[in-house]
Amino acid sequence: MSAQTARIATVLAILLVATAPYYLAPFTITLFDYIGIYSLVALGLVLLTGVAGMVSFGQAAFMGVAAYATASATALMGVSPWLGLLFALVLTGLVAAILGAVTLRLHGHFLSLSTIAWGLAIYFTFGNFPGLGGFNGIPGVPPISIGSHALLASDEIYYLIWAILIVAMLLSHNLLNSRVGRAMRALRGGKAMVESLGVDAFRIKLVTFVVAALLAALAGWLYAHMSRFVSPTPFDATKGIEFLMMAMVGGSGYLLGAVVGAALITLLKNAVQDYLPLIAPTSAGQMEIVVFSLLFILFLQYAREGIVPFVAHRLPERRRKPPEPAEPLPRRTQPPAGETLLKAEGCVRRFGGLVAVNDVSFELKSGEILGLIGPNGAGKSTMFNLLTGALPATAGRITFAEKDITRAAQRTIAKAGIARTFQHVKLRPKMSLLDNVLLGTYTRTRAGFLAGALTLDREEERRARAEAQRQLERVGLGDKPYELAGNLPLGNQRILEIARALAADPVLLVLDEPAAGLRRPEKLALATLLRSLREEGLTILIVEHDMEFVMGLVDRIVVMEFGAKLTEGVPAVVRADPRVQEAYLGGVA
Ligand code: ADP
Ligand code: MG
């Protein structure tokens, strides 16, 4: 599908939505009002769960916070619904920021479980907080007025709901294709990966969490003024589950999935409510839940990814031109060749009783390739983690470019100019080669959340994209920038990781076992690439088990065994050292 077809489809969809009240019955329009409102909540969940990987059952609670905020401001205190909106957004944003700050350091299931806990807590607060009308709720919520015109009829608020939804979708779309949005999409790659790119993972999580809550807040505001009444029931735990279901059924990785999921579940529910009483006249309400649970289990079995990706994968691919060259992003001043760049002094790392790195010291001069080798279990990866800040050292001192980085956070070290790759490749398989490499430019660009959503970042973005394309070309992957990273063979994934590291304009590139798992021609290609990088003046540290790979490539070698430094020197001397041969033979035996 070309960009033009996509644009035409978008315009057609907007026209269909805009004219719906002219050809649909009022009852159907009411249904569409609900679909629009639920789509907003589901949109937040697409960002939170589908994009950023945090499963939340608590979105209904945020919708409720906003609904109660605006209801109490308007029905009880008599202010206008527009002030109610402001109050609802501020209150929901605050509650989300506090809950997020407390819970977002939890991982995986624990985070999801916590959303159930606070979801329930908020629900019962609505029912028991003095002045909120208990479980009977707050009646008499006024309608939203535009000027002196009150949006009373279902086809009037319809336009407001869908206008808000469409704007929210467009802004989210912009956001996801911006610097902050890419960081959100990268979160699923794990903390080690995003922090190594200079991203503050917690902050990005918190931003995503609050944005998702604010989308739910918009929905809650619309809901309160449309139904003119709030009570705790529409914001209970089953609703929280239902919203998650909507996002998943639609396709939680896709913005459009929110609308498709909300529409499908709402229409299906409506149909079930119509037909179920014919089959089970006495217990239709409870049977509805049973029917939905069964449908959901079937869905999880057969179409887990959701409807939108299912359809999207069957459409012809969008053809796009590679990014145009542009003015380069600002570059670092590289240190003069031969200067001491990195210094490890007496580094120690213990794991309980095990000393994985035992009093290791070495130096790295700028412009050289240094190999850190040793048999399996020698402590190479641990040393690597100390250098990159992935693990704190138990003792010792690490200096980089005359700055002490011993206790520095990973992202601080990344910003200082050390770019790394991973022993087990950490890429985002569902992101394009270009987007993966763009992640590397994070520390060299500045556009924030709002700039991304409002497309104020386009000039910088153009330069960043040109830079990413240039790095792809530099490593020999420039011909298919929009291919998904997951489709590459392992050798090329390693090389893509190097391109991502290079996009950060590093002073030092550190590679953990880059040759592991590669076939011989892939190893040769990698060695050629690393040599050409050295010729361009880059300093490289390679941690490697494969002695042959290292020998022909590096300027100097440091050998580790049992956590300690065995020896160091130029490759020929190290290779001839009987202790090194014994360590390697011993390691194999
Ligand atoms: P290498 O990369 O040279 O193969 P590692 O640095 O991975 O070696 O491991 C060195 C030693 O430290 C091994 O004995 C390993 O089992 C141990 N080790 C590594 N990481 C941890 C950890 N997180 N917890 C406990 N022990 C670890
Ligand atoms: Mg290792």
Side-chain angles (χ1 to χ4, degrees):
M1 189 165 51
S2 72
Q4 201 185 358
T5 328
R7 222 166 289 142
I8 294 173
T10 312
V11 170
L12 274 181
I14 291 177
L15 276 179
L16 268 180
V17 169
T19 51
Y22 296 99
Y23 53 80
L24 292 178
F27 168 77
T28 316
I29 291 300
T30 307
L31 215 53
F32 272 64
D33 289 345
Y34 282 109
I35 291 174
I37 290 175
Y38 296 155
S39 296
L40 275 171
V41 189
L43 183 63
L45 271 171
V46 163
L47 296 178
L48 187 65
T49 304
V51 172
M54 292 173 273
V55 177
S56 170
F57 297 94
Q59 288 308 97
F62 286 139
M63 187 184 173
V65 170
Y68 266 92
T70 195
S72 47
T74 54
L76 304 179
M77 287 176 266
V79 309
S80 109
W82 295 103
L83 270 178
L85 172 63
L86 189 66
F87 180 48
L89 289 175
V90 170
L91 188 70
T92 314
L94 267 178
V95 172
I98 293 168
L99 280 174
V102 176
T103 60
L104 289 179
R105 294 197 197 272
L106 298 171
H107 288 283
H109 302 311
F110 298 105
L111 175 61
S112 307
L113 287 175
S114 82
T115 66
I116 298 181
W118 55 251
L120 285 173
I122 291 176
Y123 166 75
F124 283 107
T125 307
F126 295 147
N128 296 288
F129 197 79
L132 294 183
F135 284 89
N136 294 322
I138 305 172
V141 178
I144 297 165
S145 298
I146 294 181
S148 60
H149 183 77
L151 304 179
L152 280 165
S154 66
D155 59 351
E156 289 175 319
I157 197 166
Y158 168 88
Y159 284 107
L160 182 65
I161 292 171
W162 282 81
I164 290 178
L165 176 62
I166 288 168
V167 170
M169 300 266 293
L170 290 175
L171 294 187
S172 305
H173 173 81
N174 296 339
L175 177 66
L176 289 183
N177 291 297
S178 75
R179 173 174 175 266
V180 173
R182 276 189 298 271
M184 287 163 65
R185 286 155 68 194
L187 283 175
R188 289 179 148 230
K191 190 174 167 201
M193 187 195 98
V194 287
E195 296 266 329
S196 81
L197 301 167
V199 176
D200 184 341
F202 178 73
R203 212 183 121 241
I204 299 289
K205 275 189 186 179
L206 191 60
V207 167
T208 314
F209 190 71
V210 172
V211 169
L214 290 178
L215 286 167
L218 280 173
W221 176 69
L222 289 164
Y223 185 92
H225 294 286
M226 184 175 85
S227 38
R228 316 280 307 278
F229 162 75
V230 298
S231 72
T233 324
F235 314 117
D236 69 4
T238 43
K239 268 290 185 198
I241 296 172
E242 214 173 287
F243 289 135
L244 197 58
M245 221 150 105
M246 288 176 185
M248 289 181 69
V249 169
S252 65
Y254 293 74
L255 298 177
L256 208 54
V259 185
V260 171
L264 191 81
I265 299 276
T266 309
L267 295 174
L268 206 62
K269 236 180 121 164
N270 192 58
V272 168
Q273 277 163 1
D274 282 351
Y275 294 110
L276 213 52
L278 305 178
I279 307 163
T282 51
S283 56
Q286 283 151 25
M287 284 307 290
E288 183 193 321
I289 296 174
V290 176
V291 169
F292 264 82
S293 305
L294 288 177
L295 286 176
F296 194 57
I297 290 170
L298 282 177
F299 160 78
L300 288 177
Q301 290 281 342
Y302 295 108
R304 205 168 308 163
E305 269 193 86
I307 294 167
V308 172
F310 184 85
V311 176
H313 291 163
R314 278 156 184 77
L315 293 176
E317 223 168 287
R318 225 171 109 183
R319 280 189 304 276
R320 282 176 293 181
K321 284 201 285 287
E324 305 274 331
E327 193 196 333
L329 291 171
R331 293 205 60 178
R332 258 182 247 279
T333 35
Q334 296 283 341
E339 209 170 72
T340 299
L341 184 61
L342 181 85
K343 206 162 153 187
E345 297 166 277
C347 288
V348 178
R349 171 68 204 199
R350 291 178 207 279
F351 294 110
L354 179 92
V355 192
V357 171
N358 192 359
D359 193 19
V360 173
S361 306
F362 64 90
E363 275 190 21
L364 176 63
K365 302 218 180 301
S366 79
E368 73 173 342
I369 303 190
L370 180 74
L372 180 61
I373 70 167
N376 275 328
K380 305 181 297 292
S381 288
T382 308
M383 187 63 224
F384 186 99
N385 288 333
L386 300 186
L387 296 175
T388 51
L391 277 175
T394 313
R397 192 176 138 90
I398 301 167
T399 331
F400 174 70
E402 283 157 21
K403 270 189 293 241
D404 186 341
I405 56 161
T406 320
R407 300 268 175 284
Q410 278 186 86
R411 61 173 177 279
T412 316
I413 294 176
K415 280 180 203 150
I418 301 185
R420 68 166 294 183
T421 63
F422 291 86
Q423 184 171 350
H424 302 285
V425 175
K426 288 191 197 295
L427 290 165
R428 298 304 305 126
K430 295 278 176 69
M431 283 167 78
S432 67
L433 305 194
L434 190 75
D435 279 344
N436 270 288
V437 178
L438 270 166
L439 283 170
T441 65
Y442 191 85
T443 51
R444 300 171 72 189
T445 43
R446 321 180 63 92
F449 167 80
L450 278 180
L454 301 172
T455 61
L456 304 172
D457 61 344
R458 291 299 112 160
E459 176 54 27
E460 180 185 89
E461 185 67 15
R462 219 165 49 78
R463 292 170 68 183
R465 296 172 74 81
E467 171 72 18
Q469 177 65 22
R470 191 159 43 232
Q471 297 303 346
L472 277 174
E473 280 160 15
R474 191 176 178 190
V475 303
L477 292 174
D479 53 338
K480 280 190 209 144
Y482 301 108
E483 173 82 69
L484 297 187
N487 295 345
L488 293 181
L490 178 64
N492 281 346
Q493 293 196 7
R494 282 263 161 73
I495 284 176
L496 180 62
E497 252 198 351
I498 294 175
R500 181 178 71 193
L502 292 174
D505 185 29
V507 177
L508 170 62
L509 179 64
V510 283
L511 312 162
D512 195 0
E513 301 221 12
L518 296 197
R519 292 174 291 126
R520 200 175 141 70
E522 292 178 320
K523 281 188 193 177
L524 292 178
L526 179 64
T528 310
L529 170 63
L530 295 178
R531 273 193 211 103
S532 75
L533 293 177
R534 172 179 48 192
E535 258 143 51
E536 292 173 36
L538 193 68
T539 315
I540 303 175
L541 173 66
I542 303 181
V543 171
E544 187 53 74
H545 171 70
D546 183 339
M547 188 145 51
E548 284 319 304
F549 177 75
V550 174
M551 284 298 165
L553 180 65
V554 303
D555 300 299
R556 279 191 316 123
I557 292 177
V558 171
V559 188
M560 283 181 77
E561 190 192 18
F562 303 125
K565 184 167 91 175
L566 187 65
T567 180
E568 72 172 290
V570 295
V573 174
V574 167
R575 192 208 289 269
D577 192 324
R579 288 173 305 165
V580 176
Q581 288 174 2
E582 195 183 326
Y584 262 81
L585 290 175
V588 172

